[in-house]
Amino acid sequence: MDSINTTLWKATSRKFMPTKTPPTGSRKIVISKDGPYIVSAGIPLTIEIIEPNAEGLSWNWKTAKSFKTSGEYKLCRCGQSKNKPFCDGSHTDVSFDGREAATRQPYARQADVFDGPTMSLSDAEDLCAFARFLRSRRQDLGIDGAVRRS
């Protein structure tokens, strides 16, 4: 794995992601039981925003903010921290239940299929980060008027 990309909250134009890759073997992110993500090895953390191209289409990620980190740090997973993206221990006050609840249903059974003039596009909205790239790519591919299969 050459890079680590961690989305911490759903938003249409922001995401958190480490920016540099530490030496192989020294990087580690641990999901603690009913607590935060524990990030070791000094992995840097930034907020990335979508930068449009000249036509206004979503095109590239651009660093909007860098967080000062050193050594191990903890990232909020419960959503209640007053110091986001970092953990302030609020998960203990709210009795956060960190059990994973994702479906085990295969992608093909989750996805809607949109038929376009030259190809079909499948999309499982529950798996989408809503980064706005899909709409741009659908327009680029000429399938903006695609029709959803039922």
Side-chain angles (χ1 to χ4, degrees):
M1 177 165 70
D2 292 326
S3 64
I4 300 171
N5 178 349
T6 306
T7 302
L8 295 178
W9 78 63
K10 283 188 176 181
T12 58
S13 63
R14 299 188 302 183
K15 72 177 181 178
F16 286 100
M17 68 189 314
T19 55
K20 296 179 185 172
T21 305
T24 303
S26 65
R27 61 182 179 246
K28 181 169 57 171
I29 298 176
V30 175
I31 302 172
S32 64
K33 181 176 173 23
D34 299 331
Y37 295 107
I38 302 170
V39 183
S40 62
I43 299 171
L45 186 67
T46 64
I47 293 178
E48 301 289 316
I49 59 172
I50 295 173
E51 182 176 59
N53 65 6
E55 291 82 34
L57 301 173
S58 301
W59 208 251
N60 292 310
W61 289 108
K62 176 183 174 184
T63 300
K65 181 178 180 180
S66 294
F67 292 89
K68 187 173 184 147
T69 61
S70 60
E72 181 179 283
Y73 57 93
K74 297 174 182 174
L75 297 173
C76 178
R77 198 161 62 104
C78 74
Q80 303 301 311
S81 176
K82 304 289 188 266
N83 189 31
K84 292 177 190 164
F86 301 103
C87 175
D88 68 0
S90 294
H91 57 278
T92 56
D93 298 335
V94 297
S95 301
F96 175 65
D97 182 352
R99 285 180 287 188
E100 294 292 328
T103 181
R104 299 222 182 258
Q105 186 177 28
Y107 171 83
R109 295 198 49 212
Q110 296 180 58
D112 290 319
V113 178
F114 300 87
D115 289 324
T118 60
M119 67 178 65
S120 295
L121 170 75
S122 64
D123 178 38
E125 189 172 319
D126 287 345
L127 302 177
C128 182
F130 297 98
R132 300 188 331 225
F133 285 103
L134 179 60
R135 173 168 288 163
S136 300
R137 298 305 187 253
R138 288 180 68 195
Q139 291 168 345
D140 293 344
L141 296 171
I143 58 173
D144 193 43
V147 178
R148 176 184 260 167
R149 276 191 214 163
S150 45

PDB file of all heavy atoms in Angstrom, residues 97-130:
ATOM      1  N   ASP A  97     -20.954   3.214  20.347  1.00  0.00           N
ATOM      2  CA  ASP A  97     -20.904   1.816  19.925  1.00  0.00           C
ATOM      3  C   ASP A  97     -20.239   1.784  18.563  1.00  0.00           C
ATOM      4  O   ASP A  97     -20.827   2.186  17.562  1.00  0.00           O
ATOM      5  CB  ASP A  97     -22.316   1.238  19.840  1.00  0.00           C
ATOM      6  CG  ASP A  97     -22.342  -0.230  19.440  1.00  0.00           C
ATOM      7  OD1 ASP A  97     -21.283  -0.786  19.068  1.00  0.00           O
ATOM      8  OD2 ASP A  97     -23.432  -0.828  19.479  1.00  0.00           O
ATOM      9  N   GLY A  98     -19.011   1.322  18.523  1.00  0.00           N
ATOM     10  CA  GLY A  98     -18.229   1.344  17.296  1.00  0.00           C
ATOM     11  C   GLY A  98     -18.322   0.102  16.440  1.00  0.00           C
ATOM     12  O   GLY A  98     -17.521  -0.058  15.519  1.00  0.00           O
ATOM     13  N   ARG A  99     -19.284  -0.766  16.742  1.00  0.00           N
ATOM     14  CA  ARG A  99     -19.409  -1.976  15.917  1.00  0.00           C
ATOM     15  C   ARG A  99     -19.716  -1.604  14.475  1.00  0.00           C
ATOM     16  O   ARG A  99     -20.514  -0.712  14.212  1.00  0.00           O
ATOM     17  CB  ARG A  99     -20.512  -2.886  16.433  1.00  0.00           C
ATOM     18  CG  ARG A  99     -20.126  -3.636  17.689  1.00  0.00           C
ATOM     19  CD  ARG A  99     -21.262  -4.501  18.118  1.00  0.00           C
ATOM     20  NE  ARG A  99     -22.289  -3.593  18.670  1.00  0.00           N
ATOM     21  CZ  ARG A  99     -23.382  -3.987  19.287  1.00  0.00           C
ATOM     22  NH1 ARG A  99     -23.642  -5.258  19.412  1.00  0.00           N
ATOM     23  NH2 ARG A  99     -24.232  -3.118  19.772  1.00  0.00           N
ATOM     24  N   GLU A 100     -19.081  -2.303  13.555  1.00  0.00           N
ATOM     25  CA  GLU A 100     -19.332  -2.098  12.132  1.00  0.00           C
ATOM     26  C   GLU A 100     -20.708  -2.635  11.791  1.00  0.00           C
ATOM     27  O   GLU A 100     -21.103  -3.702  12.258  1.00  0.00           O
ATOM     28  CB  GLU A 100     -18.269  -2.819  11.289  1.00  0.00           C
ATOM     29  CG  GLU A 100     -16.887  -2.233  11.451  1.00  0.00           C
ATOM     30  CD  GLU A 100     -16.760  -0.836  10.868  1.00  0.00           C
ATOM     31  OE1 GLU A 100     -17.437  -0.521   9.873  1.00  0.00           O
ATOM     32  OE2 GLU A 100     -15.987  -0.046  11.430  1.00  0.00           O
ATOM     33  N   ALA A 101     -21.437  -1.900  10.972  1.00  0.00           N
ATOM     34  CA  ALA A 101     -22.792  -2.311  10.620  1.00  0.00           C
ATOM     35  C   ALA A 101     -22.993  -2.337   9.102  1.00  0.00           C
ATOM     36  O   ALA A 101     -24.111  -2.268   8.630  1.00  0.00           O
ATOM     37  CB  ALA A 101     -23.797  -1.365  11.272  1.00  0.00           C
ATOM     38  N   ALA A 102     -21.912  -2.415   8.355  1.00  0.00           N
ATOM     39  CA  ALA A 102     -22.017  -2.411   6.893  1.00  0.00           C
ATOM     40  C   ALA A 102     -22.631  -3.711   6.394  1.00  0.00           C
ATOM     41  O   ALA A 102     -22.471  -4.776   6.988  1.00  0.00           O
ATOM     42  CB  ALA A 102     -20.634  -2.222   6.277  1.00  0.00           C
ATOM     43  N   THR A 103     -23.330  -3.588   5.275  1.00  0.00           N
ATOM     44  CA  THR A 103     -23.921  -4.758   4.655  1.00  0.00           C
ATOM     45  C   THR A 103     -22.840  -5.662   4.054  1.00  0.00           C
ATOM     46  O   THR A 103     -21.771  -5.187   3.699  1.00  0.00           O
ATOM     47  CB  THR A 103     -24.926  -4.350   3.551  1.00  0.00           C
ATOM     48  OG1 THR A 103     -25.478  -5.526   2.992  1.00  0.00           O
ATOM     49  CG2 THR A 103     -24.245  -3.568   2.438  1.00  0.00           C
ATOM     50  N   ARG A 104     -23.138  -6.920   3.958  1.00  0.00           N
ATOM     51  CA  ARG A 104     -22.233  -7.856   3.286  1.00  0.00           C
ATOM     52  C   ARG A 104     -22.768  -8.205   1.894  1.00  0.00           C
ATOM     53  O   ARG A 104     -22.280  -9.092   1.235  1.00  0.00           O
ATOM     54  CB  ARG A 104     -22.068  -9.111   4.126  1.00  0.00           C
ATOM     55  CG  ARG A 104     -21.453  -8.811   5.492  1.00  0.00           C
ATOM     56  CD  ARG A 104     -20.421  -9.853   5.839  1.00  0.00           C
ATOM     57  NE  ARG A 104     -19.860  -9.618   7.136  1.00  0.00           N
ATOM     58  CZ  ARG A 104     -18.669  -9.069   7.329  1.00  0.00           C
ATOM     59  NH1 ARG A 104     -17.955  -8.681   6.321  1.00  0.00           N
ATOM     60  NH2 ARG A 104     -18.202  -8.900   8.542  1.00  0.00           N
ATOM     61  N   GLN A 105     -23.784  -7.466   1.474  1.00  0.00           N
ATOM     62  CA  GLN A 105     -24.383  -7.690   0.167  1.00  0.00           C
ATOM     63  C   GLN A 105     -23.385  -7.283  -0.926  1.00  0.00           C
ATOM     64  O   GLN A 105     -22.771  -6.221  -0.844  1.00  0.00           O
ATOM     65  CB  GLN A 105     -25.659  -6.855   0.053  1.00  0.00           C
ATOM     66  CG  GLN A 105     -26.448  -7.094  -1.183  1.00  0.00           C
ATOM     67  CD  GLN A 105     -27.743  -6.277  -1.180  1.00  0.00           C
ATOM     68  OE1 GLN A 105     -27.820  -5.221  -0.578  1.00  0.00           O
ATOM     69  NE2 GLN A 105     -28.749  -6.791  -1.868  1.00  0.00           N
ATOM     70  N   PRO A 106     -23.213  -8.104  -1.958  1.00  0.00           N
ATOM     71  CA  PRO A 106     -22.272  -7.774  -3.034  1.00  0.00           C
ATOM     72  C   PRO A 106     -22.636  -6.457  -3.730  1.00  0.00           C
ATOM     73  O   PRO A 106     -23.814  -6.095  -3.812  1.00  0.00           O
ATOM     74  CB  PRO A 106     -22.412  -8.944  -4.018  1.00  0.00           C
ATOM     75  CG  PRO A 106     -23.070 -10.036  -3.250  1.00  0.00           C
ATOM     76  CD  PRO A 106     -23.878  -9.385  -2.166  1.00  0.00           C
ATOM     77  N   TYR A 107     -21.621  -5.778  -4.239  1.00  0.00           N
ATOM     78  CA  TYR A 107     -21.819  -4.497  -4.915  1.00  0.00           C
ATOM     79  C   TYR A 107     -22.888  -4.587  -5.997  1.00  0.00           C
ATOM     80  O   TYR A 107     -23.757  -3.719  -6.097  1.00  0.00           O
ATOM     81  CB  TYR A 107     -20.489  -4.026  -5.535  1.00  0.00           C
ATOM     82  CG  TYR A 107     -20.649  -2.821  -6.426  1.00  0.00           C
ATOM     83  CD1 TYR A 107     -20.693  -1.543  -5.886  1.00  0.00           C
ATOM     84  CD2 TYR A 107     -20.785  -2.955  -7.804  1.00  0.00           C
ATOM     85  CE1 TYR A 107     -20.857  -0.419  -6.695  1.00  0.00           C
ATOM     86  CE2 TYR A 107     -20.953  -1.848  -8.623  1.00  0.00           C
ATOM     87  CZ  TYR A 107     -20.986  -0.587  -8.058  1.00  0.00           C
ATOM     88  OH  TYR A 107     -21.166   0.507  -8.859  1.00  0.00           O
ATOM     89  N   ALA A 108     -22.833  -5.612  -6.816  1.00  0.00           N
ATOM     90  CA  ALA A 108     -23.772  -5.753  -7.928  1.00  0.00           C
ATOM     91  C   ALA A 108     -25.229  -5.758  -7.460  1.00  0.00           C
ATOM     92  O   ALA A 108     -26.113  -5.316  -8.181  1.00  0.00           O
ATOM     93  CB  ALA A 108     -23.468  -7.014  -8.726  1.00  0.00           C
ATOM     94  N   ARG A 109     -25.482  -6.233  -6.250  1.00  0.00           N
ATOM     95  CA  ARG A 109     -26.853  -6.260  -5.729  1.00  0.00           C
ATOM     96  C   ARG A 109     -27.243  -4.933  -5.089  1.00  0.00           C
ATOM     97  O   ARG A 109     -28.416  -4.652  -4.914  1.00  0.00           O
ATOM     98  CB  ARG A 109     -27.014  -7.402  -4.739  1.00  0.00           C
ATOM     99  CG  ARG A 109     -26.841  -8.747  -5.478  1.00  0.00           C
ATOM    100  CD  ARG A 109     -27.375  -9.946  -4.781  1.00  0.00           C
ATOM    101  NE  ARG A 109     -28.715  -9.797  -4.284  1.00  0.00           N
ATOM    102  CZ  ARG A 109     -29.152 -10.397  -3.189  1.00  0.00           C
ATOM    103  NH1 ARG A 109     -28.357 -11.195  -2.504  1.00  0.00           N
ATOM    104  NH2 ARG A 109     -30.391 -10.221  -2.780  1.00  0.00           N
ATOM    105  N   GLN A 110     -26.260  -4.097  -4.739  1.00  0.00           N
ATOM    106  CA  GLN A 110     -26.533  -2.789  -4.143  1.00  0.00           C
ATOM    107  C   GLN A 110     -26.682  -1.696  -5.198  1.00  0.00           C
ATOM    108  O   GLN A 110     -27.324  -0.681  -4.955  1.00  0.00           O
ATOM    109  CB  GLN A 110     -25.381  -2.371  -3.225  1.00  0.00           C
ATOM    110  CG  GLN A 110     -25.181  -3.256  -2.020  1.00  0.00           C
ATOM    111  CD  GLN A 110     -24.016  -2.751  -1.194  1.00  0.00           C
ATOM    112  OE1 GLN A 110     -24.003  -1.612  -0.746  1.00  0.00           O
ATOM    113  NE2 GLN A 110     -23.021  -3.590  -1.009  1.00  0.00           N
ATOM    114  N   ALA A 111     -26.078  -1.888  -6.345  1.00  0.00           N
ATOM    115  CA  ALA A 111     -25.966  -0.822  -7.340  1.00  0.00           C
ATOM    116  C   ALA A 111     -27.202  -0.683  -8.224  1.00  0.00           C
ATOM    117  O   ALA A 111     -27.828  -1.677  -8.593  1.00  0.00           O
ATOM    118  CB  ALA A 111     -24.744  -1.074  -8.214  1.00  0.00           C
ATOM    119  N   ASP A 112     -27.522   0.577  -8.544  1.00  0.00           N
ATOM    120  CA  ASP A 112     -28.486   0.885  -9.593  1.00  0.00           C
ATOM    121  C   ASP A 112     -27.688   0.962 -10.890  1.00  0.00           C
ATOM    122  O   ASP A 112     -26.529   1.388 -10.894  1.00  0.00           O
ATOM    123  CB  ASP A 112     -29.162   2.236  -9.345  1.00  0.00           C
ATOM    124  CG  ASP A 112     -30.111   2.204  -8.155  1.00  0.00           C
ATOM    125  OD1 ASP A 112     -30.841   1.203  -8.015  1.00  0.00           O
ATOM    126  OD2 ASP A 112     -30.116   3.178  -7.379  1.00  0.00           O
ATOM    127  N   VAL A 113     -28.314   0.593 -11.990  1.00  0.00           N
ATOM    128  CA  VAL A 113     -27.653   0.654 -13.288  1.00  0.00           C
ATOM    129  C   VAL A 113     -28.349   1.714 -14.131  1.00  0.00           C
ATOM    130  O   VAL A 113     -29.576   1.749 -14.217  1.00  0.00           O
ATOM    131  CB  VAL A 113     -27.684  -0.719 -13.996  1.00  0.00           C
ATOM    132  CG1 VAL A 113     -27.041  -0.626 -15.373  1.00  0.00           C
ATOM    133  CG2 VAL A 113     -26.975  -1.767 -13.145  1.00  0.00           C
ATOM    134  N   PHE A 114     -27.553   2.592 -14.727  1.00  0.00           N
ATOM    135  CA  PHE A 114     -28.056   3.658 -15.594  1.00  0.00           C
ATOM    136  C   PHE A 114     -27.587   3.365 -17.008  1.00  0.00           C
ATOM    137  O   PHE A 114     -26.385   3.260 -17.256  1.00  0.00           O
ATOM    138  CB  PHE A 114     -27.533   5.027 -15.130  1.00  0.00           C
ATOM    139  CG  PHE A 114     -27.947   5.377 -13.733  1.00  0.00           C
ATOM    140  CD1 PHE A 114     -27.195   4.964 -12.637  1.00  0.00           C
ATOM    141  CD2 PHE A 114     -29.103   6.106 -13.507  1.00  0.00           C
ATOM    142  CE1 PHE A 114     -27.571   5.291 -11.344  1.00  0.00           C
ATOM    143  CE2 PHE A 114     -29.489   6.442 -12.212  1.00  0.00           C
ATOM    144  CZ  PHE A 114     -28.729   6.022 -11.131  1.00  0.00           C
ATOM    145  N   ASP A 115     -28.536   3.219 -17.939  1.00  0.00           N
ATOM    146  CA  ASP A 115     -28.196   2.940 -19.326  1.00  0.00           C
ATOM    147  C   ASP A 115     -28.013   4.243 -20.080  1.00  0.00           C
ATOM    148  O   ASP A 115     -28.891   5.108 -20.061  1.00  0.00           O
ATOM    149  CB  ASP A 115     -29.298   2.114 -20.002  1.00  0.00           C
ATOM    150  CG  ASP A 115     -29.337   0.688 -19.476  1.00  0.00           C
ATOM    151  OD1 ASP A 115     -28.255   0.141 -19.189  1.00  0.00           O
ATOM    152  OD2 ASP A 115     -30.441   0.135 -19.351  1.00  0.00           O
ATOM    153  N   GLY A 116     -26.866   4.392 -20.722  1.00  0.00           N
ATOM    154  CA  GLY A 116     -26.588   5.549 -21.563  1.00  0.00           C
ATOM    155  C   GLY A 116     -26.539   5.122 -23.014  1.00  0.00           C
ATOM    156  O   GLY A 116     -26.735   3.952 -23.333  1.00  0.00           O
ATOM    157  N   PRO A 117     -26.274   6.064 -23.918  1.00  0.00           N
ATOM    158  CA  PRO A 117     -26.282   5.748 -25.340  1.00  0.00           C
ATOM    159  C   PRO A 117     -25.213   4.751 -25.759  1.00  0.00           C
ATOM    160  O   PRO A 117     -25.409   3.987 -26.711  1.00  0.00           O
ATOM    161  CB  PRO A 117     -26.067   7.096 -26.019  1.00  0.00           C
ATOM    162  CG  PRO A 117     -25.703   8.063 -24.961  1.00  0.00           C
ATOM    163  CD  PRO A 117     -26.037   7.463 -23.640  1.00  0.00           C
ATOM    164  N   THR A 118     -24.064   4.745 -25.067  1.00  0.00           N
ATOM    165  CA  THR A 118     -22.981   3.847 -25.482  1.00  0.00           C
ATOM    166  C   THR A 118     -22.495   2.920 -24.380  1.00  0.00           C
ATOM    167  O   THR A 118     -21.675   2.042 -24.640  1.00  0.00           O
ATOM    168  CB  THR A 118     -21.772   4.655 -25.995  1.00  0.00           C
ATOM    169  OG1 THR A 118     -21.313   5.510 -24.946  1.00  0.00           O
ATOM    170  CG2 THR A 118     -22.147   5.489 -27.217  1.00  0.00           C
ATOM    171  N   MET A 119     -22.927   3.113 -23.157  1.00  0.00           N
ATOM    172  CA  MET A 119     -22.485   2.267 -22.047  1.00  0.00           C
ATOM    173  C   MET A 119     -23.462   2.365 -20.894  1.00  0.00           C
ATOM    174  O   MET A 119     -24.344   3.218 -20.892  1.00  0.00           O
ATOM    175  CB  MET A 119     -21.083   2.669 -21.579  1.00  0.00           C
ATOM    176  CG  MET A 119     -21.021   4.034 -20.943  1.00  0.00           C
ATOM    177  SD  MET A 119     -19.382   4.500 -20.334  1.00  0.00           S
ATOM    178  CE  MET A 119     -18.463   4.578 -21.830  1.00  0.00           C
ATOM    179  N   SER A 120     -23.285   1.491 -19.922  1.00  0.00           N
ATOM    180  CA  SER A 120     -24.083   1.518 -18.700  1.00  0.00           C
ATOM    181  C   SER A 120     -23.189   1.876 -17.530  1.00  0.00           C
ATOM    182  O   SER A 120     -22.017   1.518 -17.498  1.00  0.00           O
ATOM    183  CB  SER A 120     -24.724   0.150 -18.448  1.00  0.00           C
ATOM    184  OG  SER A 120     -25.637  -0.146 -19.471  1.00  0.00           O
ATOM    185  N   LEU A 121     -23.752   2.596 -16.573  1.00  0.00           N
ATOM    186  CA  LEU A 121     -23.032   3.011 -15.378  1.00  0.00           C
ATOM    187  C   LEU A 121     -23.714   2.391 -14.181  1.00  0.00           C
ATOM    188  O   LEU A 121     -24.937   2.470 -14.058  1.00  0.00           O
ATOM    189  CB  LEU A 121     -23.069   4.543 -15.273  1.00  0.00           C
ATOM    190  CG  LEU A 121     -22.569   5.164 -13.981  1.00  0.00           C
ATOM    191  CD1 LEU A 121     -21.043   5.092 -13.943  1.00  0.00           C
ATOM    192  CD2 LEU A 121     -23.023   6.612 -13.867  1.00  0.00           C
ATOM    193  N   SER A 122     -22.954   1.747 -13.292  1.00  0.00           N
ATOM    194  CA  SER A 122     -23.543   1.219 -12.065  1.00  0.00           C
ATOM    195  C   SER A 122     -23.107   2.098 -10.904  1.00  0.00           C
ATOM    196  O   SER A 122     -21.981   2.587 -10.875  1.00  0.00           O
ATOM    197  CB  SER A 122     -23.140  -0.240 -11.839  1.00  0.00           C
ATOM    198  OG  SER A 122     -21.756  -0.346 -11.646  1.00  0.00           O
ATOM    199  N   ASP A 123     -24.012   2.325  -9.953  1.00  0.00           N
ATOM    200  CA  ASP A 123     -23.743   3.208  -8.829  1.00  0.00           C
ATOM    201  C   ASP A 123     -24.463   2.697  -7.588  1.00  0.00           C
ATOM    202  O   ASP A 123     -25.670   2.528  -7.593  1.00  0.00           O
ATOM    203  CB  ASP A 123     -24.214   4.626  -9.158  1.00  0.00           C
ATOM    204  CG  ASP A 123     -24.016   5.600  -8.002  1.00  0.00           C
ATOM    205  OD1 ASP A 123     -22.984   5.493  -7.309  1.00  0.00           O
ATOM    206  OD2 ASP A 123     -24.880   6.461  -7.788  1.00  0.00           O
ATOM    207  N   ALA A 124     -23.705   2.446  -6.524  1.00  0.00           N
ATOM    208  CA  ALA A 124     -24.268   2.068  -5.233  1.00  0.00           C
ATOM    209  C   ALA A 124     -24.151   3.297  -4.335  1.00  0.00           C
ATOM    210  O   ALA A 124     -23.097   3.574  -3.781  1.00  0.00           O
ATOM    211  CB  ALA A 124     -23.537   0.875  -4.644  1.00  0.00           C
ATOM    212  N   GLU A 125     -25.232   4.056  -4.219  1.00  0.00           N
ATOM    213  CA  GLU A 125     -25.199   5.346  -3.517  1.00  0.00           C
ATOM    214  C   GLU A 125     -24.708   5.230  -2.081  1.00  0.00           C
ATOM    215  O   GLU A 125     -24.016   6.118  -1.583  1.00  0.00           O
ATOM    216  CB  GLU A 125     -26.582   5.990  -3.552  1.00  0.00           C
ATOM    217  CG  GLU A 125     -26.562   7.414  -3.031  1.00  0.00           C
ATOM    218  CD  GLU A 125     -27.872   8.134  -3.235  1.00  0.00           C
ATOM    219  OE1 GLU A 125     -28.488   7.983  -4.299  1.00  0.00           O
ATOM    220  OE2 GLU A 125     -28.280   8.855  -2.305  1.00  0.00           O
ATOM    221  N   ASP A 126     -25.026   4.145  -1.380  1.00  0.00           N
ATOM    222  CA  ASP A 126     -24.586   3.984   0.010  1.00  0.00           C
ATOM    223  C   ASP A 126     -23.072   3.896   0.131  1.00  0.00           C
ATOM    224  O   ASP A 126     -22.515   4.117   1.203  1.00  0.00           O
ATOM    225  CB  ASP A 126     -25.225   2.757   0.649  1.00  0.00           C
ATOM    226  CG  ASP A 126     -26.699   2.966   0.953  1.00  0.00           C
ATOM    227  OD1 ASP A 126     -27.163   4.123   0.941  1.00  0.00           O
ATOM    228  OD2 ASP A 126     -27.400   1.956   1.184  1.00  0.00           O
ATOM    229  N   LEU A 127     -22.387   3.550  -0.950  1.00  0.00           N
ATOM    230  CA  LEU A 127     -20.931   3.439  -0.930  1.00  0.00           C
ATOM    231  C   LEU A 127     -20.250   4.707  -1.427  1.00  0.00           C
ATOM    232  O   LEU A 127     -19.035   4.798  -1.422  1.00  0.00           O
ATOM    233  CB  LEU A 127     -20.482   2.254  -1.800  1.00  0.00           C
ATOM    234  CG  LEU A 127     -21.055   0.903  -1.406  1.00  0.00           C
ATOM    235  CD1 LEU A 127     -20.596  -0.163  -2.388  1.00  0.00           C
ATOM    236  CD2 LEU A 127     -20.673   0.525   0.009  1.00  0.00           C
ATOM    237  N   CYS A 128     -21.031   5.690  -1.827  1.00  0.00           N
ATOM    238  CA  CYS A 128     -20.504   6.900  -2.446  1.00  0.00           C
ATOM    239  C   CYS A 128     -20.030   7.897  -1.393  1.00  0.00           C
ATOM    240  O   CYS A 128     -20.681   8.101  -0.377  1.00  0.00           O
ATOM    241  CB  CYS A 128     -21.595   7.532  -3.313  1.00  0.00           C
ATOM    242  SG  CYS A 128     -21.053   9.008  -4.189  1.00  0.00           S
ATOM    243  N   ALA A 129     -18.893   8.547  -1.667  1.00  0.00           N
ATOM    244  CA  ALA A 129     -18.376   9.596  -0.793  1.00  0.00           C
ATOM    245  C   ALA A 129     -18.931  10.966  -1.179  1.00  0.00           C
ATOM    246  O   ALA A 129     -18.602  11.965  -0.569  1.00  0.00           O
ATOM    247  CB  ALA A 129     -16.849   9.629  -0.851  1.00  0.00           C
ATOM    248  N   PHE A 130     -19.777  11.021  -2.204  1.00  0.00           N
ATOM    249  CA  PHE A 130     -20.390  12.264  -2.683  1.00  0.00           C
ATOM    250  C   PHE A 130     -19.344  13.327  -2.973  1.00  0.00           C
ATOM    251  O   PHE A 130     -19.487  14.484  -2.603  1.00  0.00           O
ATOM    252  CB  PHE A 130     -21.447  12.768  -1.691  1.00  0.00           C
ATOM    253  CG  PHE A 130     -22.573  11.807  -1.535  1.00  0.00           C
ATOM    254  CD1 PHE A 130     -22.613  10.907  -0.473  1.00  0.00           C
ATOM    255  CD2 PHE A 130     -23.576  11.739  -2.491  1.00  0.00           C
ATOM    256  CE1 PHE A 130     -23.639   9.990  -0.353  1.00  0.00           C
ATOM    257  CE2 PHE A 130     -24.608  10.827  -2.371  1.00  0.00           C
ATOM    258  CZ  PHE A 130     -24.637   9.948  -1.306  1.00  0.00           C
TER     259      PHE A 130
END
